[in-house]
Amino acid sequence: MGHLKDLDKQHIVNTYARFDVLIQKGKNATCWDEQGKKYIDFTSGIGVNSLGFCNDDWTQAVCEQVKTLQHISNLYYTTPDITLAEKLTQATGYDKVFFANSGAEANEGAIKVARKYSFDKYQTQRNVIITLVNSFHGRTVTTLAATGQEVFHQYFYPFTEGFRYAQANDIESVKQQIDENVCAIMYEYIQGEGGVLPLESDFIQQVAEICKQNDILLIADEVQTGIGRTGKLLAGEHFGIRADIVTLAKGLGGGLPIGAVLCNQKTSKVLGFGDHGTTFGGNPVACAGANVCINQISDPAFLQQVVQKANHIKETLSKVEEVTEISGIGLMMGLELKTKTAKEVAAECLKRGLLVLTAKTKVRLLPPLTINNQELEEGIQILISVLNQ
Ligand SMILES: *Cc1c(COP(=O)(O)O)cnc(C)c1O
């Protein structure tokens, strides 16, 4: 491990603060390091392994696809992306989908759709997108600009123009940014990286109304909240909102890189031949994995289990003295603590065999949606022992 750690530092650009552990294999919500030490996983690789590590159906579909056709390019028709597109649009009620390879790329696609929609219709400088303070939309130069956090607006100048920031849950702040140049408003229903902060229902309704009245497109960044994470296939369902464009990534592929831009009737014809594209978009292997994820997760009984597990975690942890608040919806949770820092809790959990994340001041939990009761109990007990220490 010491040797590998040195090699990592030596050969990989040093952009990640890693936990001091090398994870070697996993099954569902349990994984093991290279010395055979066991960990319960409350992270899903940041909301990615929605079906846990190496789900049987997922592994089989991916392996079969690898052995059949791993890639051919978007110049040809293939089966897995067509199947996935049909399933995704049917399950969500959206009209069409564009496949990308990551969350940031999905958001780039959404931004392009929004700007071209406005360009086609108004042919003016109507290209401004309002995002929220404390949001997170990705690491490309444009999605960094979209991200409403000053810490991300350094070094890489010049950033893409045309973003304005409004305060979350403050409709007056949104109204102040509205003028004839605004083409879209983009938000996360729950700010994930920003600290697991859900938007208020009133605010969401009012934003939707403003969009409707002014022909401003609503973009929901569901890269983290989408695909069952909150107990609904899309988090927008909790609020009865159907954004014009929804972006997906993290949990969609179950561990393979894929992103998606869902477009409604109004936005699905904005991009035409040559307007957008990506070499790996709709890759057969990634789509074969995503097909298994959608098959399992779009089942109402599956989503009901997500809600039950989430309620169980909330009920149990709300009795812990050290936990002052539990935020989030479904299996996307943030714990505000009384005396301990999130960082020290995460480090101590790791020692005792539990992987958790942090987001700003909070301990963040994103367990696989398929975590079983035994794994859940084991993980909760470790977390409680650390919090009570
Ligand atoms: C993780 C995340 C992104 C960026 O996704 P990448 O795949 O890392 O590019 C964008 N938006 C939200 C809400 C995210 O949580």
Side-chain angles (χ1 to χ4, degrees):
M1 167 69 185
H3 174 59
L4 285 166
K5 231 159 85 182
D6 291 343
L7 286 177
D8 176 300
K9 295 253 180 311
Q10 199 180 334
H11 298 294
I12 297 179
V13 174
N14 217 245
T15 60
Y16 302 108
R18 300 193 201 276
F19 286 109
D20 195 13
V21 60
L22 189 149
I23 300 297
Q24 200 161 53
K25 62 174 186 177
K27 190 71 194 167
N28 204 31
T30 307
C31 58
W32 292 267
D33 70 14
E34 93 289 4
Q35 287 165 342
K37 181 178 165 186
K38 181 178 119 173
Y39 301 84
I40 300 296
D41 177 32
F42 277 8
T43 73
S44 319
I46 319 191
V48 167
N49 300 332
S50 41
L51 303 181
F53 293 109
C54 306
N55 173 278
D56 288 341
D57 294 342
W58 182 91
T59 307
Q60 195 189 341
V62 167
C63 289
E64 238 152 61
Q65 190 58 49
V66 165
K67 288 188 259 177
T68 309
L69 182 84
Q70 88 278 27
H71 175 81
I72 177 65
S73 94
N74 282 307
L75 300 175
Y76 305 90
Y77 293 102
T78 53
T79 312
D81 63 331
I82 297 171
T83 312
L84 179 61
E86 189 186 19
K87 276 184 196 150
L88 261 180
T89 51
Q90 277 177 1
T92 60
Y94 278 83
D95 191 40
K96 288 192 170 74
V97 60
F98 175 87
F99 289 120
N101 311 291
S102 68
E105 261 190 57
N107 286 336
E108 289 266 347
I111 290 162
K112 285 174 79 170
V113 172
R115 286 188 167 172
K116 185 161 184 293
Y117 172 87
S118 210
F119 183 90
D120 289 347
K121 202 160 167 183
Y122 301 97
Q123 274 116 34
T124 62
Q125 295 302 305
R126 197 179 186 275
N127 53 32
V128 171
I129 296 171
I130 297 174
T131 65
L132 299 179
V133 172
N134 200 44
S135 57
F136 182 78
H137 297 297
R139 297 281 197 159
T140 62
V141 173
T142 294
T143 55
L144 279 177
T147 294
Q149 300 187 50
E150 279 313 306
V151 290
F152 289 107
H153 301 163
Q154 306 182 77
Y155 321 127
F156 312 116
Y157 296 104
F159 288 97
T160 306
E161 291 174 33
F163 291 93
R164 293 180 194 162
Y165 314 103
Q167 292 292 335
N169 300 325
D170 179 351
I171 199 66
E172 289 310 315
S173 165
V174 175
K175 284 180 184 164
Q176 275 168 20
Q177 302 293 350
I178 301 276
D179 62 21
E180 69 282 3
N181 293 332
V182 173
C183 70
I185 299 177
M186 173 155 87
Y187 62 51
E188 305 148 86
Y189 288 102
I190 307 166
Q191 295 187 335
E193 305 306 307
V196 198
L197 300 167
L199 295 183
E200 287 163 11
S201 184
D202 277 357
F203 177 78
I204 292 170
Q205 309 302 331
Q206 285 166 315
V207 167
E209 192 53 36
I210 289 174
C211 287
K212 209 167 126 192
Q213 279 171 8
N214 299 283
D215 193 21
I216 290 170
L217 294 180
L218 182 59
I219 305 172
D221 178 347
E222 293 229 35
V223 166
Q224 192 163 151
T225 57
I227 311 298
R229 178 51 57 187
T230 67
K232 303 265 190 200
L233 192 58
L234 299 180
E237 294 171 43
H238 290 287
F239 307 97
I241 294 291
R242 300 184 56 75
D244 297 295
I245 306 168
V246 175
T247 56
L248 300 169
K250 291 195 167 87
L252 175 59
L256 286 168
I258 184 170
V261 187
L262 290 171
C263 297
N264 66 7
Q265 296 274 355
K266 199 164 155 181
T267 56
S268 65
K269 288 159 204 81
V270 170
L271 297 179
F273 289 116
D275 289 333
H276 196 36
T278 168
T279 299
F280 289 112
N283 170 269
V285 180
C287 288
N291 267 310
V292 176
C293 292
I294 292 297
N295 281 348
Q296 298 199 12
I297 296 168
S298 62
D299 178 354
F302 183 100
L303 292 169
Q304 193 48 41
Q305 282 206 25
V306 172
V307 175
Q308 280 162 4
K309 288 168 194 169
N311 288 342
H312 176 66
I313 299 176
K314 255 181 215 164
E315 271 166 35
T316 313
L317 292 181
S318 62
K319 294 183 195 127
V320 176
E321 174 89 8
E322 177 66 16
V323 178
T324 55
E325 195 210 329
I326 304 174
S327 63
I329 308 175
L331 287 176
M332 178 171 179
M333 276 179 213
L335 314 180
E336 191 71 63
L337 307 177
K338 197 179 270 177
T339 60
K340 297 183 195 306
T341 68
K343 226 178 143 180
E344 69 195 24
V345 168
E348 189 56 33
C349 282
L350 183 72
K351 277 193 204 155
R352 298 187 191 193
L354 173 68
L355 308 182
V356 298
L357 298 162
T358 63
K360 299 281 155 82
T361 60
K362 288 178 183 163
V363 171
R364 177 165 52 148
L365 311 181
L366 291 169
L369 308 181
T370 53
I371 189 167
N372 65 38
N373 289 338
Q374 197 190 328
E375 291 167 325
L376 201 54
E377 277 328 306
E378 253 182 81
I380 290 173
Q381 287 319 314
I382 294 171
L383 183 54
I384 289 177
S385 77
V386 171
L387 292 171
N388 283 339
Q389 187 189 5

